[in-house]
Amino acid sequence: MMVLETNGDAYPCDFFIDEEHRLGNIGHTDLEALLTSPIYDDFLLMKPNMNGSCYKCEYLSFWQWGVPAQPELA
């Protein structure tokens, strides 16, 4: 999911609201460009890097097959 702050800044996730993960600003950049940002692509590639025990969890599908922000919960 993408997060939009009140000032229009866009981030790939609410756990990654920092300058390194800033996709741009919806007031200056169209939505398609934000969604195709290399930063967003890199973020999406993080999802498969789950802890091995995650794959056995009955609730995995509810987490969209992995939440990269909190691997310590796995």
Side-chain angles (χ1 to χ4, degrees):
M1 90 178 148
M2 181 182 297
V3 173
L4 294 175
E5 293 285 281
T6 56
N7 68 354
D9 285 350
Y11 300 90
C13 173
D14 59 343
F15 289 103
F16 288 84
I17 297 177
D18 56 37
E19 195 56 36
E20 179 183 351
H21 293 95
R22 185 176 175 274
L23 304 173
N25 186 291
I26 194 70
H28 307 286
T29 308
D30 64 56
L31 182 58
E32 183 176 353
L34 295 174
L35 290 171
T36 58
S37 162
I39 295 169
Y40 197 57
D41 289 342
D42 290 345
F43 172 78
L44 294 175
L45 290 174
M46 291 171 56
K47 289 184 89 167
N49 296 327
M50 293 184 290
N51 181 306
S53 63
C54 290
Y55 292 100
K56 301 173 191 166
C57 178
E58 65 183 291
Y59 303 107
L60 182 59
S61 64
F62 293 108
W63 287 100
Q64 301 297 313
W65 302 99
V67 177
Q70 298 181 343
E72 69 278 0
L73 295 179

